[in-house]
Amino acid sequence: MSGVSGAGKTTVIKLLAGEFNSPFLLFDDYIDQETYPSNMRAWLKDGSDVDLIKTPRLLEALEQLICERRNTRFIFIEESFGKERDSMSRLIDYVILLDPPMELCLARVIRRQIESQCGQSACSISNYLKKYVDHLREIYINVASQVRNNSDLIVQNTVSINNNTEYICDWLKRNTN
């Protein structure tokens, strides 16, 4: 499952995993201080090479799940970069890109920050918006564009997450072995 921050990846993955009784891995559970280049603005300017984004623990966890897979049709993984990272591409069968309008994604990120940060939300939101305007928006657009080229399904609906999940669930039932 791919998409920019706020696209709904985590929620959709959890719903699909429940529907198919399948395991799942979430990207954010495997990031650390070494995951992203130290200067994301420079990374963007230098061409946005997604292979410079490192998640060895995510790779290891996925490889282990694949080896242990029993009686499950799918393993759902939140991988914002689709098959674009060489380290992950060989392990991914299908890429579903959640691609709602950027303003909807931004609204979801802001709402998430408000709900999780309580009294610190105004400062946190302000800092995020500064980065968003400066370089994050362009990064999101650039990475989504890279992923779009190798996606098996692109979901651009502005319907509810539940409706998108139903649509994806039906697609998976029709289009996968």
Side-chain angles (χ1 to χ4, degrees), residues 5 105-129 131 136 140:
S5 186
C105 296
L106 179 59
R108 289 176 177 164
V109 169
I110 291 170
R111 187 185 71 226
R112 183 170 57 214
Q113 295 232 349
I114 289 170
E115 291 172 355
S116 69
Q117 299 284 321
C118 295
Q120 301 173 11
S121 63
C123 183
S124 178
I125 292 168
S126 177
N127 289 335
Y128 177 80
L129 290 174
K131 290 179 187 175
L136 285 180
Y140 293 154

Side-chain angles (χ1 to χ4, degrees), residues 11 69 75 77 79 93 97 100 105 122 169 171:
T11 303
R69 187 187 314 190
I75 297 170
I77 179 170
E79 171 58 26
D93 294 323
L97 174 62
C105 296
C169 186
W171 184 88

Side-chain angles (χ1 to χ4, degrees), residues 131-145:
K131 290 179 187 175
Y132 182 86
V133 169
D134 183 64
H135 60 280
L136 285 180
R137 183 177 188 279
E138 191 173 348
I139 287 172
Y140 293 154
I141 291 169
N142 188 313
V143 170
S145 178

Side-chain angles (χ1 to χ4, degrees), residues 1-4 7 9 77 79-82 95-99 147:
M1 191 70 52
S2 297
V4 304
K9 301 178 298 293
I77 179 170
E79 171 58 26
S80 297
F81 311 101
V95 174
I96 299 170
L97 174 62
L98 298 179
D99 196 23
V147 172

Side-chain angles (χ1 to χ4, degrees), residues 37 39-50 52 138-139 142 146:
N39 185 333
M40 291 300 287
R41 187 182 305 122
W43 175 81
L44 173 65
K45 185 179 176 186
D46 291 341
S48 309
D49 181 359
V50 295
L52 296 176
E138 191 173 348
I139 287 172
N142 188 313
Q146 290 178 53

Side-chain angles (χ1 to χ4, degrees), residues 26-89:
L26 302 174
F27 183 86
D28 287 347
D29 292 344
Y30 295 91
I31 61 173
D32 56 33
Q33 292 178 346
E34 304 297 318
T35 299
Y36 293 102
S38 60
N39 185 333
M40 291 300 287
R41 187 182 305 122
W43 175 81
L44 173 65
K45 185 179 176 186
D46 291 341
S48 309
D49 181 359
V50 295
D51 279 324
L52 296 176
I53 297 170
K54 306 293 184 192
T55 52
R57 293 184 310 117
L58 177 62
L59 178 63
E60 183 180 308
L62 180 56
E63 288 173 333
Q64 184 174 350
L65 272 178
I66 290 170
C67 287
E68 295 172 353
R69 187 187 314 190
R70 294 181 196 96
N71 302 323
T72 182
R73 188 172 174 191
F74 298 108
I75 297 170
F76 292 100
I77 179 170
E78 180 183 24
E79 171 58 26
S80 297
F81 311 101
K83 292 182 182 180
E84 301 308 303
R85 294 194 304 155
D86 289 338
S87 62
M88 298 296 288
S89 64

